[in-house]
Amino acid sequence: MQITTEQLFTDAHTQYGYFPDPVSDVTLRALYDLLKWAPTAANSSPGRFVFVRSPEQKEALIACMNAGNQQKVREAPVTAVVGMDLMFHDHLPKLFPHVDARSWFAGKDAAIRESAFRNSSLQGAYMILAARALGLDCGPMSGFDAAKIDAAFWAGTAVTTNFVCTLGRGSPDKVKPRNPRLAFDEACRIA
């Protein structure tokens, strides 16, 4: 299977509605097996993922979403809750074994939170690209009560919610027209 830049970027849109086709465990495992190889600082890999698919868990997640996002989650075959593990540094002896990287973070709450947020956001973006590479459409979103999601999906852990992303085979009639983007000179400079 050849993956194109169009499939990953220019032809891909944020998805607002889905066909009811299920997303298999095999596909979700393949998605993670792709995204896990993408880089994070010190290979910290703080991203944690709950793939919400069962009717009961979907209803629990819908109750955490703002009104405008509830139908998106209801219609999607799977919704990923992308979290950030605030104890990610405990895994650094395994993930980054050539130096004592755990000591860079242990007891430093601001550094932990900043790094966990930045790197789990990267991993969430890698998840979107991996999903698109596997032929899935994605609908990343904010618009939820993070404390409620934390209580429903991360209770008893050091993981907190970063963002939510619907996954599945998107319905073409639920895609909005392409919005403009900033030009290079509006967003970039070469120093």
Side-chain angles (χ1 to χ4, degrees):
M1 167 170 104
Q2 178 148 6
I3 299 165
T4 66
T5 57
E6 291 81 11
Q7 181 181 351
L8 298 179
F9 296 102
T10 56
D11 287 348
H13 289 259
T14 297
Q15 190 61 48
Y16 293 93
Y18 295 89
F19 292 113
D21 307 353
V23 177
S24 70
D25 289 1
V26 170
T27 299
L28 295 174
R29 288 179 177 279
L31 186 154
Y32 180 74
D33 284 341
L34 286 174
L35 81 88
K36 73 181 181 183
W37 296 110
T40 56
N43 198 34
S44 57
S45 304
R48 301 295 180 265
F49 306 87
V50 175
F51 296 108
V52 179
R53 191 171 56 191
S54 76
E56 301 79 23
Q57 293 299 296
K58 190 179 277 199
E59 286 305 315
L61 181 58
I62 289 166
C64 302
M65 303 303 294
N66 291 359
N69 288 332
Q70 290 178 347
Q71 185 58 31
K72 296 172 196 174
V73 172
R74 187 173 284 113
E75 194 171 318
V78 177
T79 300
V81 179
V82 180
M84 53 184 175
D85 186 352
L86 300 178
M87 294 300 294
F88 71 87
H89 52 287
D90 284 348
H91 297 279
L92 289 175
K94 173 183 176 179
L95 297 174
F96 205 66
H98 53 282
V99 298
D100 180 18
R102 185 184 182 285
S103 67
W104 302 344
F105 298 99
K108 300 171 186 165
D109 291 345
I112 289 169
R113 185 161 286 283
E114 181 179 341
S115 188
F117 179 70
R118 179 177 298 119
N119 289 288
S120 68
S121 296
L122 282 172
Q123 288 185 283
Y126 300 145
M127 179 195 72
I128 291 167
L129 292 176
R132 288 176 172 178
L134 293 171
L136 297 174
D137 294 295
C138 306
M141 64 185 96
S142 294
F144 52 80
D145 185 322
K148 282 185 180 179
I149 293 179
D150 291 350
F153 294 95
W154 308 116
T157 74
V159 179
T160 62
T161 301
N162 186 329
F163 70 96
V164 173
C165 184
T166 55
L167 301 168
R169 190 169 67 85
S171 174
D173 64 332
K174 300 278 181 103
V175 174
K176 296 180 180 179
R178 171 74 73 199
N179 286 319
R181 299 297 194 266
L182 296 175
F184 183 92
D185 292 336
E186 294 174 292
C188 308
R189 66 185 177 94
I190 299 172

PDB file of all heavy atoms in Angstrom, residues 89 101-108 112:
ATOM      1  N   HIS A  89       8.104   9.809  33.342  1.00  0.00           N
ATOM      2  CA  HIS A  89       9.543   9.752  33.633  1.00  0.00           C
ATOM      3  C   HIS A  89       9.940   8.453  34.328  1.00  0.00           C
ATOM      4  O   HIS A  89      11.106   8.064  34.275  1.00  0.00           O
ATOM      5  CB  HIS A  89       9.977  10.971  34.451  1.00  0.00           C
ATOM      6  CG  HIS A  89       9.166  11.201  35.673  1.00  0.00           C
ATOM      7  ND1 HIS A  89       7.868  11.680  35.627  1.00  0.00           N
ATOM      8  CD2 HIS A  89       9.454  11.018  36.980  1.00  0.00           C
ATOM      9  CE1 HIS A  89       7.407  11.791  36.852  1.00  0.00           C
ATOM     10  NE2 HIS A  89       8.337  11.388  37.692  1.00  0.00           N
ATOM     11  N   ALA A 101      17.799  10.038  32.592  1.00  0.00           N
ATOM     12  CA  ALA A 101      16.826  11.054  32.192  1.00  0.00           C
ATOM     13  C   ALA A 101      15.686  11.189  33.197  1.00  0.00           C
ATOM     14  O   ALA A 101      15.061  12.246  33.278  1.00  0.00           O
ATOM     15  CB  ALA A 101      16.267  10.726  30.809  1.00  0.00           C
ATOM     16  N   ARG A 102      15.442  10.161  33.992  1.00  0.00           N
ATOM     17  CA  ARG A 102      14.387  10.259  34.999  1.00  0.00           C
ATOM     18  C   ARG A 102      14.665  11.417  35.950  1.00  0.00           C
ATOM     19  O   ARG A 102      13.750  12.135  36.352  1.00  0.00           O
ATOM     20  CB  ARG A 102      14.261   8.944  35.767  1.00  0.00           C
ATOM     21  CG  ARG A 102      13.103   8.941  36.739  1.00  0.00           C
ATOM     22  CD  ARG A 102      13.025   7.653  37.576  1.00  0.00           C
ATOM     23  NE  ARG A 102      11.867   7.704  38.431  1.00  0.00           N
ATOM     24  CZ  ARG A 102      11.765   8.434  39.536  1.00  0.00           C
ATOM     25  NH1 ARG A 102      12.768   9.197  39.918  1.00  0.00           N
ATOM     26  NH2 ARG A 102      10.660   8.420  40.259  1.00  0.00           N
ATOM     27  N   SER A 103      15.919  11.629  36.287  1.00  0.00           N
ATOM     28  CA  SER A 103      16.279  12.696  37.234  1.00  0.00           C
ATOM     29  C   SER A 103      16.008  14.091  36.666  1.00  0.00           C
ATOM     30  O   SER A 103      15.916  15.058  37.421  1.00  0.00           O
ATOM     31  CB  SER A 103      17.750  12.572  37.646  1.00  0.00           C
ATOM     32  OG  SER A 103      18.601  12.846  36.539  1.00  0.00           O
ATOM     33  N   TRP A 104      15.862  14.201  35.361  1.00  0.00           N
ATOM     34  CA  TRP A 104      15.540  15.494  34.758  1.00  0.00           C
ATOM     35  C   TRP A 104      14.140  15.952  35.158  1.00  0.00           C
ATOM     36  O   TRP A 104      13.824  17.132  35.081  1.00  0.00           O
ATOM     37  CB  TRP A 104      15.609  15.431  33.244  1.00  0.00           C
ATOM     38  CG  TRP A 104      16.923  15.012  32.660  1.00  0.00           C
ATOM     39  CD1 TRP A 104      18.141  14.974  33.278  1.00  0.00           C
ATOM     40  CD2 TRP A 104      17.147  14.558  31.327  1.00  0.00           C
ATOM     41  NE1 TRP A 104      19.105  14.524  32.416  1.00  0.00           N
ATOM     42  CE2 TRP A 104      18.517  14.257  31.191  1.00  0.00           C
ATOM     43  CE3 TRP A 104      16.321  14.359  30.233  1.00  0.00           C
ATOM     44  CZ2 TRP A 104      19.082  13.796  30.027  1.00  0.00           C
ATOM     45  CZ3 TRP A 104      16.887  13.891  29.055  1.00  0.00           C
ATOM     46  CH2 TRP A 104      18.253  13.620  28.950  1.00  0.00           C
ATOM     47  N   PHE A 105      13.292  14.998  35.540  1.00  0.00           N
ATOM     48  CA  PHE A 105      11.885  15.292  35.797  1.00  0.00           C
ATOM     49  C   PHE A 105      11.416  15.010  37.220  1.00  0.00           C
ATOM     50  O   PHE A 105      10.507  15.682  37.705  1.00  0.00           O
ATOM     51  CB  PHE A 105      11.003  14.501  34.820  1.00  0.00           C
ATOM     52  CG  PHE A 105      11.250  14.857  33.394  1.00  0.00           C
ATOM     53  CD1 PHE A 105      12.064  14.071  32.597  1.00  0.00           C
ATOM     54  CD2 PHE A 105      10.691  16.001  32.852  1.00  0.00           C
ATOM     55  CE1 PHE A 105      12.309  14.407  31.275  1.00  0.00           C
ATOM     56  CE2 PHE A 105      10.942  16.345  31.530  1.00  0.00           C
ATOM     57  CZ  PHE A 105      11.748  15.552  30.741  1.00  0.00           C
ATOM     58  N   ALA A 106      11.975  14.016  37.876  1.00  0.00           N
ATOM     59  CA  ALA A 106      11.481  13.592  39.185  1.00  0.00           C
ATOM     60  C   ALA A 106      11.400  14.779  40.144  1.00  0.00           C
ATOM     61  O   ALA A 106      12.380  15.498  40.353  1.00  0.00           O
ATOM     62  CB  ALA A 106      12.382  12.497  39.761  1.00  0.00           C
ATOM     63  N   GLY A 107      10.197  14.993  40.694  1.00  0.00           N
ATOM     64  CA  GLY A 107       9.976  16.075  41.648  1.00  0.00           C
ATOM     65  C   GLY A 107       9.838  17.454  41.031  1.00  0.00           C
ATOM     66  O   GLY A 107       9.741  18.442  41.757  1.00  0.00           O
ATOM     67  N   LYS A 108       9.820  17.540  39.719  1.00  0.00           N
ATOM     68  CA  LYS A 108       9.745  18.837  39.021  1.00  0.00           C
ATOM     69  C   LYS A 108       8.419  18.914  38.265  1.00  0.00           C
ATOM     70  O   LYS A 108       8.354  18.695  37.061  1.00  0.00           O
ATOM     71  CB  LYS A 108      10.938  18.991  38.083  1.00  0.00           C
ATOM     72  CG  LYS A 108      12.275  18.930  38.820  1.00  0.00           C
ATOM     73  CD  LYS A 108      13.444  18.857  37.875  1.00  0.00           C
ATOM     74  CE  LYS A 108      14.730  18.642  38.670  1.00  0.00           C
ATOM     75  NZ  LYS A 108      15.828  18.211  37.826  1.00  0.00           N
ATOM     76  N   ILE A 112       7.476  18.282  34.292  1.00  0.00           N
ATOM     77  CA  ILE A 112       6.721  17.067  33.952  1.00  0.00           C
ATOM     78  C   ILE A 112       5.497  17.434  33.123  1.00  0.00           C
ATOM     79  O   ILE A 112       5.258  16.869  32.058  1.00  0.00           O
ATOM     80  CB  ILE A 112       6.299  16.314  35.228  1.00  0.00           C
ATOM     81  CG1 ILE A 112       7.519  15.682  35.896  1.00  0.00           C
ATOM     82  CG2 ILE A 112       5.234  15.264  34.921  1.00  0.00           C
ATOM     83  CD1 ILE A 112       7.261  15.153  37.297  1.00  0.00           C
TER      84      ILE A 112
END
